[in-house]
Amino acid sequence: MVEIALNKQRLQIRAEAERADMMHRLAGVESTLDTIDRLREHLHWAREQAPRVSLLLVAVLLIRPRASLKLAKRAWIAWMLLRRGGRGLPRWVAPLAAPMLRRVLAGLRRALDRSATTG
């Protein structure tokens, strides 16, 4: 009976050590998953606000056509990089597309939030 209790205790200690090791290894993954979740939230918000986003984009296009074309070019490149999923691209290029798209969507969200509070 004592042997079974000692074996159980050893297994519990080993399980705790494995849990701690797993949490340590997953710490880096958690920040990546948080970034992906924020990006998904931004995309979901942009889909919900599609008419407002479109209206804002048309207004910006009319007011600042040159800046709009630069932004459109960057967004198009980011979109194409994301769609390709990195196939045929150097490994360092694909991770650049998501943050770029996230910044564009965050800027659109801030602009729309400002226009909603002032208008």
Side-chain angles (χ1 to χ4, degrees):
M1 196 62 136
V2 173
E3 187 177 318
I4 294 174
L6 288 174
N7 192 25
K8 179 181 176 184
Q9 184 180 23
R10 275 192 294 261
L11 288 173
Q12 288 174 334
I13 291 170
R14 192 169 87 194
E16 181 61 33
E18 287 176 358
R19 262 190 239 103
D21 181 51
M22 184 174 30
M23 293 305 291
H24 176 71
R25 290 175 190 237
L26 291 176
V29 174
E30 186 176 359
S31 65
T32 303
L33 293 176
D34 288 342
T35 302
I36 291 170
D37 285 341
R38 280 194 309 264
L39 179 62
R40 290 181 70 196
E41 288 172 11
H42 287 307
L43 289 172
H44 180 72
W45 177 87
R47 283 189 198 116
E48 287 179 349
Q49 304 294 328
R52 289 176 70 193
V53 171
S54 299
L55 184 63
L56 178 70
L57 290 175
V58 168
V60 170
L61 180 63
L62 293 174
I63 295 169
R64 304 212 43 193
R66 191 170 288 166
S68 300
L69 290 175
K70 275 186 181 179
L71 181 63
K73 179 182 173 185
R74 288 179 184 168
W76 179 255
I77 290 170
W79 174 250
M80 294 307 291
L81 288 173
L82 284 174
R83 282 193 62 201
R84 286 185 69 180
R87 289 172 298 196
L89 295 174
R91 287 185 179 172
W92 59 270
V93 174
L96 296 178
M100 188 185 317
L101 186 58
R102 188 177 66 233
R103 278 191 293 254
V104 168
L105 289 173
L108 284 173
R109 177 181 263 183
R110 281 192 305 272
L112 283 173
D113 288 343
R114 271 188 262 134
S115 68
T117 57
T118 59

